[in-house]
Amino acid sequence: GLLSSLVFVCSIYLVHYRGGFSALVHDERFDPAKAQKSAVAAVDPVATGKRLYNMPGMCVTCHQAQGQGVPGAFPPLAGSEWVNGNEERLIRILLNGLAGEITVHGQTFNGVMPAFGQGAGGFNWSHERIAHVLTYIRQEWGNKAAPVDTAKVTEIRTTGASAGRGGKPWTPAELQGLQ
């Protein structure tokens, strides 16, 4: 009994104080370089976008946790033709903002959406952050649109009309051509 107790206590001690020793170090089938690459590349854009969307003072403030918006003030994102439509239009809205009358689900809203990509109002989100939050809203609350690629955000942000707006928000009329 004493010998069994000693073996048991010693094994617990070794497991607890093993100093980071891993049995996989001696497994010739285990490649730590591959394991590290896969751990770094495992970013879920939907989960990251959800976290950004729900940060205090961000998207959730106006568009609400379930994407239903605030009637008469802020348009809903759930089932919105603007969210499920052309991704370029949506990218431009988040980059430069939106001002003027917009119709969503047959209701008219007249407000201002701040720019998240031009530094206006203290926001200057990276290409990745913008792609992640747009991917989240395009795949949440019953929306079934394709994810937004970071390369597409970079392209729109650095070339064409979006790059030269100088902090001026888009109007819905300017964006209607992008269906």
Side-chain angles (χ1 to χ4, degrees), residues 59-75:
C59 315
V60 71
T61 305
C62 299
H63 297 291
Q64 302 300 297
Q66 298 302 315
Q68 76 273 19
V70 177
F74 303 109

Side-chain angles (χ1 to χ4, degrees), residues 103-120:
T103 303
V104 179
H105 297 306
Q107 295 179 354
T108 302
F109 300 87
N110 191 0
V112 176
M113 163 90 180
F116 281 79
Q118 301 299 320

Side-chain angles (χ1 to χ4, degrees), residues 8 11 48 68 87 106 110-111 119 128 132 160 163 170:
F8 180 72
S11 63
T48 303
Q68 76 273 19
E87 72 176 357
N110 191 0
E128 292 82 15
H132 293 325
W170 292 98

Side-chain angles (χ1 to χ4, degrees), residues 39-173:
V40 171
V43 173
D44 181 10
V46 175
T48 303
K50 181 176 184 175
R51 183 181 52 79
L52 292 168
Y53 180 92
N54 288 307
M55 287 173 57
M58 296 299 166
C59 315
V60 71
T61 305
C62 299
H63 297 291
Q64 302 300 297
Q66 298 302 315
Q68 76 273 19
V70 177
F74 303 109
L77 301 177
S80 167
E81 56 271 24
W82 288 81
V83 171
N84 290 305
N86 186 307
E87 72 176 357
E88 290 185 23
R89 181 172 62 183
L90 198 57
I91 293 169
R92 284 182 169 90
I93 291 172
L94 201 60
L95 283 173
N96 300 99
L98 184 71
E101 284 191 0
I102 184 172
T103 303
V104 179
H105 297 306
Q107 295 179 354
T108 302
F109 300 87
N110 191 0
V112 176
M113 163 90 180
F116 281 79
Q118 301 299 320
F123 302 116
N124 195 10
W125 281 8
S126 67
H127 308 297
E128 292 82 15
R129 280 184 164 203
I130 289 172
H132 293 325
V133 82
L134 291 178
T135 296
Y136 169 68
I137 68 170
R138 286 170 59 93
Q139 296 184 353
E140 189 70 15
W141 315 301
N143 294 331
K144 301 289 186 208
V148 175
D149 188 41
T150 302
K152 190 67 171 178
V153 175
T154 303
E155 174 190 330
I156 292 173
R157 187 182 221 168
T158 58
T159 62
S162 231
R165 289 198 66 84
K168 180 182 173 201
W170 292 98
T171 64

